Amino acid sequence: MSPLGLSQADLTDRDRSLALVVLGERLSDGTFDHVGIDDVTASREATQHLLELGRKRIAAIGDQPYATGEAAQLRTLGFRQAHQQVGREIDDALIIRTPRFNRADGAAAMAHLLDLPDPPDAVFCYSDLVALGAYTHSPCGVCGYLKTLRSSGMTTLKRVATPTRH
């Protein structure tokens, strides 16, 4: 089962005699065990890396402001926190929503960003698949999120290790 396909009610209203550990992209209200990454810290560190490189207009690709987009919402929070820590304003037009974390959505989002009158000089992508899609269209720095890049052969993308939470 994908944790993204389960509602909080599905996870709460279950037979408690069955052990349940949810892995990955899901928040826990404490009624089930959960192992995942610290999305806020990881995205804040990825964005800080881009800011430390001197990037001025950093876009974020992957926001999902709907019920099953919890992980994306936490990544957006970390992205915002990194900007706030250095006193940098965020252009909300540079935070791009995607329905999924895949290459096609990354490529479409990057094409949109490059059509802006003032395009970004760096992009933080909420997953490596999004980053791979964005990278194919990008003249600017692209930062991925998980560990897919290592096996893809794309060595020019920056990947930030993701801290775990459990």
Side-chain angles (χ1 to χ4, degrees):
M1 294 182 285
S2 167
L4 294 176
L6 299 171
S7 70
Q8 189 65 42
D10 293 330
L11 295 167
T12 304
D13 301 334
R14 68 178 196 286
D15 181 349
R16 301 284 176 158
S17 67
L18 298 174
L20 174 67
V21 177
V22 176
L23 303 175
E25 311 298 314
R26 181 96 211 161
L27 291 179
S28 173
D29 66 356
T31 60
F32 56 89
D33 292 318
H34 174 249
V35 177
I37 58 176
D38 183 341
D39 286 298
V40 176
T41 299
S43 60
R44 185 176 57 242
E45 289 178 0
T47 306
Q48 286 170 337
H49 171 75
L50 294 170
L51 289 165
E52 289 166 2
L53 290 175
R55 303 301 183 149
K56 305 288 185 212
R57 285 184 52 79
I58 303 171
I61 299 177
D63 189 38
Q64 297 175 349
Y66 40 85
T68 58
E70 298 161 333
Q73 293 162 28
L74 293 172
R75 293 171 194 183
T76 300
L77 177 61
F79 176 80
R80 289 184 181 282
Q81 285 178 355
H83 282 82
Q84 290 167 349
Q85 286 176 347
V86 297
R88 177 96 32 95
E89 297 257 341
I90 298 172
D91 180 349
D92 285 330
L94 297 179
I95 299 176
I96 307 300
R97 295 178 180 178
T98 61
R100 291 165 301 284
F101 290 163
N102 62 37
R103 290 174 93 163
D105 289 340
M110 181 57 84
H112 167 76
L113 287 167
L114 295 176
D115 282 342
L116 293 175
D118 189 10
D121 62 356
V123 179
F124 165 57
C125 296
Y126 290 19
S127 82
D128 282 352
L129 290 176
V130 170
L132 289 169
Y135 181 78
T136 60
H137 292 62
S138 176
C140 63
V142 175
C143 182
Y145 194 80
L146 299 170
K147 295 183 179 176
T148 310
L149 296 177
R150 188 177 330 160
S151 61
S152 72
M154 303 285 290
T155 57
T156 57
L157 294 176
K158 171 69 179 172
R159 181 184 56 81
V160 175
T162 49
T164 353
R165 69 168 192 262
H166 43 75

